[in-house]
Amino acid sequence: MSNVFMGMPTLPVFGDGNLHIEETFPTAAHRELGNTQMRANLRHATHTIRDKRLKVVAELPDWEELRDAGSATKNLVMANLPALLEEFEKNFTARGGIIHWARDAHEANSIVAGLIKEQNTTEVVKVKSMATQEIGLNEYLEEQGISAFETDLAELIVQLGHDKPSHILVPAIHKNRTEVRDIFLAEMPNVDPNLTDEPRLLAMAAREHLRRKFLSAKVAISGANFALADSGTLAVVESEGNGRMCLTLPETLITVMGIEKLLPGKEDLEVFMQLLPRSSTGERMNPYTSLWTGVTEGDGPQNVHLVLMDNGRTAALADKYGRTALNCIRCSACMNVCPVYERTGGHAYGSTYPGPIGAILTPLLTGITSEENSTLPYASSLCGACYDACPVKINIPEILVHLRGEDVDSKRGEKKLPSQMDLMMKGGSWAFSSGKHLGLLEKGLPLGKLAAGRDKKIKALPGIAAGWTQSRDIPAPPSQSFRDWWKKDHTPVAATNKQEK
Amino acid sequence: MSAKEEILSRITSALRDAPAPGPVPREYRMSSDMPEVELIELLVDRLEDYKAHVDVVDVPQLPATIAERLKDATSYVVPHGIDTTWLPADDARRRIDAPGAVLSVTELDGTDAVLTSSAVSIAESGTIVLDGSGDQGRRAISLVPDHHVCVVPVSSIVRLLPEAMARMDITCPLTWISGPSATSDIELERVEGVHGPRQLDVIIVKGL
């Protein structure tokens, strides 16, 4: 297949799965903000991780050079994706691995279910994976009569608590230790009833709970953090050893990975394995990283599969301003520094991908007009903290603004009458087009003072401006504008010079 | 059209207006000339930060140190290629895992400790790399027993990850270990000891 595009451009094909938000971000955020316990938990956790990250990043004298290399590498990968995918497939296959291609969530789910059924088992162990979360694999397998056991501690907490993940790295970040203990006591069979909320003992309880599953599982399912095209190697980065258990002990290993995860070769992995651990958990290196290339005789799974999945990634790639969102390595540094995420939590974003990266990635994967996803790019004050923290320098604020524009443009055709926003923008454009126009408007300032009344505050504005006064008052405007005051209080410079002479 | 053809065609269509990518700048550190003493010091500092126990010994002290670290184990497994002169003289506690004579998962689960060597170590991040060679064994043996004793020859220590990467055969099944298993999943506080070995003892050997 050639890289030169020959035929008609095809329309973007969007993704499906746990990506469509059912209520608007403001509605969901309003509800989540009422959960004061969750806000306290999030504040504690995000501040802990921010401090750790800053400390380990400051240790490296070449952090910015690593970011530059990481960013350029990802741009290179996206530009050469067809060739790199072919190269990866060739090498992975040559070493005994089997590749499957999936256009969307449903196709990926059914491939995985089919592979599990071939092994005559109804139980699988899983390593934490964003891709399988995105396609709703666990729910699909359940419908097929297959139980998928999450083995990452935080995923286990979420699964046992019949909850949803709220963070891509620490899915149970919204729960504190006491809440975790209560979930374990209620849901974990054979748990010690005297279990305390000490994190070490909670981790031990998870070890006991999962040990038998690991040692007896026939099939494991994983995601992948990186794939190296020139060798056909896959990498999984983890902490607890649950990843190693799943990647080593079962006879069959099925990995689900988005097509954007490729790197050209190991000289690129050395960059990303410095960027990722420091950005995500704030550690110099995560406790365990596993790399495997197809099948190794006598060591680990002998039946090794990889599902390469699109599910909207090519649609994101077609957006010339948004495509760099695919450079994301899922470190979660952007959510840990985001003032909006810190307060609303991840559930408010309604998608597998929360936080600043989720606010751009979700609508890019699904299209801006899908359900309520158009409200996500507004879930930001555009402060830019995410851009500063991003190890691959994704300009998230710029893409947020671009997607807001897409949203406005997509709605333009629907309406026959101009909206309040259209009228305000028109008015603003007229007012700021000349000093005379502005002067004319400023004559109306005393009216505002009148509206403010005795306590000198405007408490409710009409129409869409009501959003502004919903949680704050506007102080009464002054009786004269700054420009008027300046005119009265300052003698023109030329005139002063004349007087001095 | 197959799924593969369709996805590749979608990508090509998506990229039709994409600008040509720039070169990848590699201005980050790729080599260092840290003296051996400092390399050891840095690696020890990092490993201890991960709550691993570290001994630094000369070659003649290695067998005694290994014996000391394994003294509480009622059984231990070694890979077939381990240097037998390192091992304690007793035989009863020792199980050897070899191609054609592998221990079952249940046997490994009933074994207290594992002794392996290692391929390369990165001082700056406190990372030890196992590559499945004869003196390190297949991945399961260094995973299932709860206590891992790992020998690190000084000649295998480098400062930076890019230096280590140059020494790795990427197609081997690789395991990078940075401390005992740990989790930060509860309130982002690091706790050592989950599914992987809960105790990691590292023996750095000078002159090896």
Side-chain angles (χ1 to χ4, degrees):
Chain A
M1 176 128 194
S2 138
N3 261 351
V4 181
F5 181 72
M6 304 297 281
M8 285 285 289
T10 48
L11 284 173
V13 184
F14 293 111
D16 216 339
N18 293 326
L19 295 169
H20 305 277
I21 73 169
E22 288 160 9
E23 52 185 348
T24 67
F25 180 81
T27 312
H30 209 264
R31 185 188 56 247
E32 295 297 319
L33 283 168
N35 186 344
T36 49
Q37 180 65 60
M38 182 202 72
R39 280 168 66 187
N41 297 350
L42 273 176
R43 187 183 152 75
H44 170 71
T46 53
H47 283 254
T48 307
I49 195 76
R50 275 183 217 179
D51 296 344
K52 279 164 78 177
R53 179 186 159 273
L54 285 175
K55 194 173 138 262
V56 295
V57 162
E59 276 180 10
L60 294 189
D62 53 353
W63 182 252
E64 289 307 319
E65 287 77 10
L66 287 165
R67 285 179 83 206
D68 287 337
S71 172
T73 302
K74 279 292 188 176
N75 289 337
L76 187 80
V77 166
M78 297 314 151
N80 297 322
L81 204 47
L84 288 169
L85 284 165
E86 299 256 32
E87 188 186 1
F88 179 86
E89 181 180 40
K90 190 183 92 210
N91 289 319
F92 189 77
T93 308
R95 307 259 319 182
I98 300 164
I99 302 247
H100 310 262
W101 298 73
R103 300 172 184 89
D104 52 32
H106 180 75
E107 192 166 16
N109 282 333
S110 62
I111 292 169
V112 174
L115 291 170
I116 297 168
K117 286 174 185 166
E118 276 176 24
Q119 299 307 312
N120 296 319
T121 184
T122 54
E123 280 192 5
V124 296
V125 285
K126 273 190 77 197
V127 199
K128 183 177 165 340
S129 134
M130 296 313 299
T132 60
Q133 189 71 246
E134 174 189 320
I135 61 177
L137 179 65
N138 291 6
E139 296 78 6
Y140 181 86
L141 292 180
E142 203 179 323
E143 286 167 21
Q144 306 284 313
I146 298 164
S147 310
F149 294 94
E150 292 291 352
T151 62
D152 169 78
L153 178 55
E155 292 280 7
L156 178 70
I157 295 166
V158 168
Q159 195 175 39
L160 288 176
H162 313 288
D163 198 357
K164 280 185 171 174
S166 71
H167 189 277
I168 63 171
L169 179 77
V170 198
I173 196 169
H174 55 292
K175 297 285 186 203
N176 67 19
R177 58 187 72 188
T178 313
E179 293 168 298
V180 173
R181 195 245 349 239
D182 294 345
I183 291 171
F184 280 12
L185 285 179
E187 303 285 340
M188 207 180 250
N190 308 323
V191 72
D192 173 6
N194 298 316
L195 185 67
T196 70
D197 64 2
E198 193 189 327
R200 195 179 54 81
L201 296 177
L202 295 170
M204 286 310 95
R207 179 185 166 101
E208 288 310 313
H209 175 66
L210 288 170
R211 190 95 182 152
R212 289 294 125 208
K213 292 262 178 277
F214 283 133
L215 302 185
S216 62
K218 288 164 77 176
V219 178
I221 295 171
S222 84
N225 293 91
F226 305 105
L228 308 183
D230 71 357
S231 57
T233 304
L234 290 170
V236 163
V237 171
E238 51 123 3
S239 297
E240 297 166 15
N242 63 311
R244 291 177 70 191
M245 289 282 181
C246 293
L247 301 171
T248 309
L249 299 183
E251 198 55 21
T252 298
L253 171 61
I254 306 165
T255 303
V256 181
M257 183 182 89
I259 50 173
E260 83 284 15
K261 292 277 169 196
L262 282 181
L263 294 177
K266 71 173 186 174
E267 65 282 8
D268 305 299
L269 188 65
E270 74 194 20
V271 173
F272 287 92
M273 283 310 296
Q274 294 186 73
L275 290 171
L276 180 57
R278 287 176 203 256
S279 299
S280 55
T281 48
E283 291 168 304
R284 296 185 179 109
M285 191 66 90
N286 50 291
Y288 298 132
T289 298
S290 297
L291 295 118
W292 71 99
T293 308
V295 175
T296 303
E297 199 193 330
D299 189 349
Q302 298 298 300
N303 183 21
V304 175
H305 297 263
L306 173 67
V307 181
L308 278 171
M309 180 176 77
D310 178 357
N311 203 37
R313 283 155 180 78
T314 51
L317 194 65
D319 185 317
K320 66 176 170 180
Y321 301 104
R323 61 169 64 109
T324 52
L326 292 176
N327 295 1
C328 174
I329 55 171
R330 312 282 189 264
C331 73
S332 74
C334 63
M335 48 203 82
N336 296 336
V337 298
C338 178
V340 176
Y341 177 89
E342 182 189 329
R343 286 163 182 84
T344 65
H347 290 154
Y349 295 80
S351 153
T352 293
Y353 304 105
I357 187 66
I360 58 172
L361 194 57
T362 303
L364 282 166
L365 292 173
T366 62
I368 194 79
T369 55
S370 164
E371 298 194 34
E372 303 296 348
N373 287 6
S374 64
T375 61
L376 287 173
Y378 300 93
S380 168
S381 63
L382 302 179
C383 75
C386 49
Y387 184 25
D388 285 343
C390 179
V392 290
K393 300 174 97 167
I394 301 170
N395 192 335
I396 296 176
E398 196 176 276
I399 302 177
L400 285 166
V401 172
H402 157 67
L403 290 171
R404 289 177 189 187
E406 292 269 286
D407 171 45
V408 172
D409 287 342
S410 75
K411 287 175 180 152
R412 233 184 266 287
E414 297 168 9
K415 292 165 307 197
K416 298 201 171 62
L417 292 170
S419 70
Q420 288 183 42
M421 183 61 92
D422 292 340
L423 292 175
M424 275 171 63
M425 287 297 162
K426 271 232 157 65
S429 158
W430 175 83
F432 293 111
S433 64
S434 97
K436 276 199 183 120
H437 291 174
L438 195 60
L440 205 62
L441 274 184
E442 283 166 357
K443 297 245 187 298
L445 281 177
L447 279 176
K449 210 167 178 184
L450 205 65
R454 280 203 121 122
D455 53 2
K456 296 181 179 165
K457 281 179 188 143
I458 298 174
K459 288 179 179 156
L461 287 172
I464 56 165
W468 176 265
T469 46
Q470 192 188 327
S471 51
R472 46 175 122 48
D473 298 330
I474 298 182
S479 38
Q480 62 178 345
S481 71
F482 174 80
R483 293 171 357 127
D484 278 343
W485 168 79
W486 185 270
K487 219 180 272 170
K488 281 177 200 149
D489 214 57
H490 290 70
T491 320
V493 179
T496 322
N497 288 347
K498 260 181 212 162
Q499 277 170 10
E500 278 172 4
K501 273 178 190 169
Chain B
M1 219 185 326
S2 73
K4 177 185 171 181
E5 285 164 349
E6 192 166 337
I7 291 169
L8 290 179
S9 133
R10 288 178 189 176
I11 298 170
T12 316
S13 173
L15 289 171
R16 67 191 181 278
D17 64 348
V24 176
R26 293 191 190 271
E27 306 292 322
Y28 58 87
R29 294 169 300 154
M30 291 199 203
S31 61
S32 67
D33 49 5
M34 193 177 250
E36 189 179 293
V37 184
E38 287 172 39
L39 273 181
I40 295 173
E41 210 172 283
L42 187 61
L43 180 60
V44 171
D45 175 76
R46 299 316 196 222
L47 287 167
E48 286 179 344
D49 188 46
Y50 295 138
K51 308 281 189 321
H53 180 276
V54 190
D55 292 295
V56 182
V57 302
D58 290 307
V59 179
Q61 298 159 294
L62 180 57
T65 312
I66 289 175
E68 173 65 20
R69 292 293 143 239
L70 289 174
K71 74 172 191 298
D72 294 330
T74 55
S75 57
Y76 64 89
V77 56
V78 293
H80 64 284
I82 201 93
D83 185 337
T84 48
T85 62
W86 297 355
L87 300 177
D90 70 276
D91 240 352
R93 299 183 299 153
R94 189 188 308 159
R95 297 167 181 181
I96 299 170
D97 188 82
V102 296
L103 299 178
S104 71
V105 172
T106 315
E107 284 171 310
L108 286 174
D109 193 36
T111 305
D112 285 351
V114 54
L115 171 75
T116 71
S117 187
S118 56
V120 56
S121 290
I122 303 131
E124 195 169 76
S125 63
T127 305
I128 301 168
V129 178
L130 306 187
D131 68 3
S133 299
D135 57 357
Q136 296 151 53
R138 63 195 176 98
R139 286 171 287 171
I141 68 162
S142 51
L143 170 64
V144 180
D146 203 15
H147 176 193
H148 184 186
V149 181
C150 187
V151 174
V152 173
V154 158
S155 60
S156 71
I157 306 174
V158 294
R159 180 181 182 179
L160 306 171
L161 179 57
E163 294 174 296
M165 199 62 95
R167 296 192 187 195
M168 281 181 230
D169 177 353
I170 202 77
T171 58
C172 291
L174 296 174
T175 306
W176 302 7
I177 296 171
S178 307
S181 74
T183 181
S184 305
D185 279 354
I186 299 169
E187 299 181 14
L188 281 169
E189 241 171 60
R190 186 177 158 114
V191 183
E192 282 77 18
V194 200
H195 304 293
R198 286 181 283 189
Q199 190 182 346
L200 175 66
D201 291 338
V202 180
I203 307 174
I204 298 173
V205 191
K206 292 188 280 187
L208 202 64

